[in-house]
């Protein structure tokens, strides 16, 4: 019987259970799933179902094999499978999604003891594993949502040619990174620089498509408005605070203003930044618990994200930035823990 818990004061009373929190987060992700179904079709729902089922079955089998209580009803495996599916392109082979969910649950979560003991976000680790193992499928299986952005990018790609031939269904970050590289690599080619600059300028006409999700991208990261609706639910329930997401977004915006050739609005509303800032960086298990530590965590995520996006090999950097800061979370908590109530620091003489 584990209902009687003896602990030292002060005591905090919270009526929310893990199951309630997890299922609430799952519900908060539904607007983004509906948006992806609207823009990408039933394929996005199918990919998400495969991710969830693979995660739930893996967790149940491992717990059964270890003679542990099967806890898949708490919603945490569902959340991991859903978040993993949100981080893959709609046209990716289904077996790759199943392997990613298996890796996230078996290797990142259960191998370390289960819920509450994993030191990095399982869904993001699963995505990183898939990106390292099947980079082509993870970066070329985009589906065109049919928005103006795709058409404009295709026209510009035809004008410039060369490296833009494969970008007819490119993500906005793909186009921005490639156009910026062309400008940097061809300073003496006036015509090519002009065309690449025009392509960058055309991105400003696609802010509305980016905000609604009418662009190519991963299943759950394209529709900013749908993700913000879900985030509002989490704020209303008090499951997340402003510290991590807003320090994360503010850092990205400030750095995009400082670094030449970057568009702060484009960085904020494209890629997986909104999904990562509100739903993954705020993971209760793998993020700091101290108020100041949360801000440091968010700033660190923002710095790494911009470093990868601007100078790294990939146009996106949200996943790796959060994973890197997950590893630093224990150290951040150690140095930002508030002074104990009534504790008097010893003074050396």
């Amino acid at each position: 019987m584990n209902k009687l818990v003896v602990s030292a004061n002060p005591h905090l009373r919270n009526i929310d259970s893990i199951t309630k929190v997890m299922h609430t987060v799952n519900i908060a992700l539904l607007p983004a799933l509906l948006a992806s179904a609207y823009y990408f079709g039933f394929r996005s729902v199918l990919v998400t179902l495969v991710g969830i089922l693979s995660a739930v079955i893996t967790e149940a089998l491992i717990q059964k094999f270890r003679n542990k209580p099967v806890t898949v009803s708490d919603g945490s495996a569902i959340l991991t499978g859903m978040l993993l599916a949100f981080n893959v392109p709609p046209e990716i082979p289904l077996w790759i999604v199943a392997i990613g969910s298996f890796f996230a649950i078996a290797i990142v979560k259960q191998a370390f003891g289960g819920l509450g003991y994993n030191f990095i976000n399982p869904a993001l680790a699963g995505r990183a594993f898939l990106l390292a193992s099947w980079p082509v499928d993870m970066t070329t299986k985009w589906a065109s949502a049919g928005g103006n952005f795709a058409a404009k990018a295709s026209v510009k790609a035809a004008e410039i040619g060369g490296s833009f031939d494969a970008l007819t269904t490119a993500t906005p970050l793909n186009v921005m990174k490639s156009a910026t590289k062309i400008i940097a690599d061809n300073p003496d080619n006036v015509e090519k620089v002009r065309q690449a600059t025009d392509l960058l300028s055309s991105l400003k006409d696609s802010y509305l498509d980016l905000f609604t999700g009418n662009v190519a991208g991963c299943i759950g990261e394209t529709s900013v408005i749908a993700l913000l609706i879900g985030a509002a639910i989490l704020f209303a329930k008090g499951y997340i605070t402003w510290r991590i997401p807003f320090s994360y977004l503010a850092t990205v915006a400030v750095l995009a203003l400082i670094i030449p050739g970057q568009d702060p609005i484009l960085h904020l509303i494209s890629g997986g930044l909104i999904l990562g800032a509100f739903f993954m960086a705020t993971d209760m298990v793998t993020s700091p618990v101290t108020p100041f530590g949360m801000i440091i965590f968010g700033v660190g995520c923002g710095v790494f994200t911009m470093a990868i996006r601007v100078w790294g090999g990939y146009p996106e950097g949200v996943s790796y930035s959060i994973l890197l800061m997950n590893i630093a979370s224990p150290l951040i908590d150690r140095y930002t823990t508030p002074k104990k109530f009534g504790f008097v620091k010893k003074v050396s003489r």
Side-chain angles (χ1 to χ4, degrees):
M1 181 175 181
N2 297 321
K3 293 185 178 179
L4 181 61
V5 178
V6 179
S7 61
N9 62 359
H11 303 291
L12 298 177
R13 183 180 179 184
N14 192 332
I15 61 174
D16 291 329
S17 64
I18 291 175
T19 301
K20 184 178 179 180
V21 172
M22 291 297 169
H23 284 305
T24 302
V25 178
N26 291 331
I27 292 172
L29 288 170
L30 288 180
L33 179 60
L34 293 175
S36 69
Y38 176 78
Y39 287 118
F40 301 130
F42 181 73
R43 175 76 184 182
S44 62
V45 179
L46 183 61
V47 170
T48 305
L49 288 176
V50 170
I52 292 173
L53 286 176
S54 179
V56 170
I57 292 173
T58 301
E59 181 150 290
L61 289 177
I62 291 176
Q63 290 177 329
K64 197 73 175 177
F65 179 76
R66 297 175 60 202
N67 292 321
K68 298 287 186 182
V70 177
T71 60
V72 294
S73 61
D74 65 11
S76 62
I78 296 175
L79 179 60
T80 297
M82 184 178 288
L83 285 175
L84 177 79
F86 276 25
N87 280 277
V88 300
E91 300 298 327
I92 191 171
L94 297 179
W95 61 270
I96 291 182
V97 182
I99 291 177
S101 284
F102 172 82
F103 181 88
I105 295 295
I107 306 301
V108 184
K109 185 180 178 183
Q110 289 298 326
F112 289 90
L115 181 63
Y117 295 95
N118 52 288
F119 68 100
I120 56 177
N121 187 293
L124 287 178
R127 182 185 190 276
F129 170 72
L130 295 182
L131 192 59
S133 303
W134 296 279
V136 175
D137 292 290
M138 286 290 289
T139 56
T140 61
K141 300 295 183 179
W142 312 115
S144 175
N148 292 328
F149 170 78
K152 291 179 179 177
S154 299
V155 172
K156 292 294 181 181
E159 291 178 359
I160 296 177
S163 60
F164 276 126
D165 286 346
L167 294 175
T168 52
T169 56
T171 67
L173 289 177
N174 280 138
V175 174
M176 183 171 69
K177 192 175 186 69
S178 297
T180 304
K181 187 174 185 304
I182 281 184
I183 295 173
D185 292 344
N186 302 276
D188 299 328
N189 190 330
V190 178
E191 181 59 21
K192 207 158 192 175
V193 168
R194 183 191 66 78
Q195 291 175 334
T197 303
D198 289 343
L199 186 58
L200 284 174
S201 299
S202 73
L203 294 176
K204 298 181 185 299
D205 300 329
S206 304
Y207 286 161
L208 181 59
D209 284 339
L210 286 163
F211 193 72
T212 58
N214 198 16
V215 294
C218 288
I219 288 175
E221 68 180 25
T222 57
S223 178
V224 174
I225 181 63
L227 291 169
L228 291 180
I229 291 173
I233 296 174
L234 300 185
F235 277 117
K237 299 293 292 184
Y239 294 160
I240 63 174
T241 68
W242 62 269
R243 293 182 180 86
I244 290 178
F246 285 92
S247 59
Y248 191 171
L249 298 176
T251 302
V252 169
V254 170
L255 290 178
L257 282 171
I258 296 173
I259 300 173
Q262 303 303 312
D263 184 337
I265 297 178
L266 187 69
H267 274 289
L268 287 175
I269 63 177
S270 61
L273 184 58
I274 298 298
L275 176 66
F278 289 100
F279 290 93
M280 307 181 94
T282 54
D283 180 12
M284 296 177 181
V285 177
T286 57
S287 61
V289 297
T290 62
F292 186 51
M294 292 179 182
I295 295 175
I296 294 175
F297 184 89
V299 171
C301 288
V303 170
F304 280 125
T305 295
M306 286 303 295
I308 295 172
R309 283 185 173 184
V310 177
W311 297 293
Y314 290 108
E316 178 60 284
V318 171
S319 299
Y320 288 111
S321 68
I322 297 175
L323 286 173
L324 289 170
M325 292 309 295
N326 283 161
I327 298 171
S329 288
L331 190 64
I332 294 173
D333 271 336
R334 179 179 179 181
Y335 288 102
T336 58
T337 301
K339 186 174 68 175
K340 296 177 183 177
F341 181 74
F343 177 80
V344 178
K345 186 177 181 180
K346 292 182 180 179
V347 178
S348 57
R349 297 179 179 177

